[in-house]
Amino acid sequence: KVLSDLIGEVKLLYSFDATKIAPGLQAYLGAGWELKNTKLQYDYTYAESPAETDKFGRFERTRFTMGPQAVAGIEYSYFKIPISAFMELEYFYDVLADPGWSRVEGGVGLRYIF
């Protein structure tokens, strides 16, 4: 069970004009660095001998890791208010807790433009 999952990231993005597809649309590519801190809870049952009934056990672990990421996405900002909508895919590569482990991540959301 995930008790908490905190992620911080810094990205540098290069935007491309995609208004030929739709007014206000932009595509972007970039790279960055991601920090992750996850607290996990493990529940399990066990028996010390075949004659015993199952016992319950629990332990918690905190996992901190970090690594580089690559990102690609689109952003739409053809609104009358200073907000844009985005969709993106990221590729994360772990260099600390489990070197070599990688994962494709993604997100959708709104950004306030100031």
Side-chain angles (χ1 to χ4, degrees):
K1 178 179 175 182
V2 177
L3 299 177
S4 67
D5 194 20
L6 301 173
I7 299 171
E9 52 190 24
V10 174
K11 300 178 200 172
L12 294 174
L13 303 175
Y14 182 76
S15 295
F16 303 93
D17 185 20
T19 55
K20 291 180 182 178
I21 298 170
L25 186 66
Q26 289 199 5
Y28 58 88
L29 296 173
W33 195 261
E34 186 171 308
L35 302 168
K36 294 182 174 196
N37 191 45
T38 305
K39 187 173 182 180
L40 301 167
Q41 176 181 298
Y42 296 93
D43 296 334
Y44 60 95
T45 59
Y46 67 98
E48 293 179 353
S49 70
E52 280 190 17
T53 59
D54 287 345
K55 296 180 180 179
F56 178 78
R58 170 181 287 169
F59 66 94
E60 294 180 2
R61 292 288 186 266
T62 299
R63 183 177 191 271
F64 176 78
T65 192
M66 65 179 139
Q69 64 179 194
V71 61
I74 58 173
E75 183 174 25
Y76 182 73
S77 59
Y78 194 70
F79 303 118
K80 303 285 186 209
I81 56 176
I83 292 179
S84 69
F86 72 93
M87 293 188 307
E88 65 183 28
L89 282 176
E90 298 175 350
Y91 178 76
F92 172 75
Y93 187 84
D94 192 342
V95 296
L96 184 64
D98 192 9
W101 182 80
S102 63
R103 179 181 189 146
V104 175
E105 304 170 332
V108 296
L110 297 174
R111 292 184 177 121
Y112 179 75
I113 301 169
F114 57 93

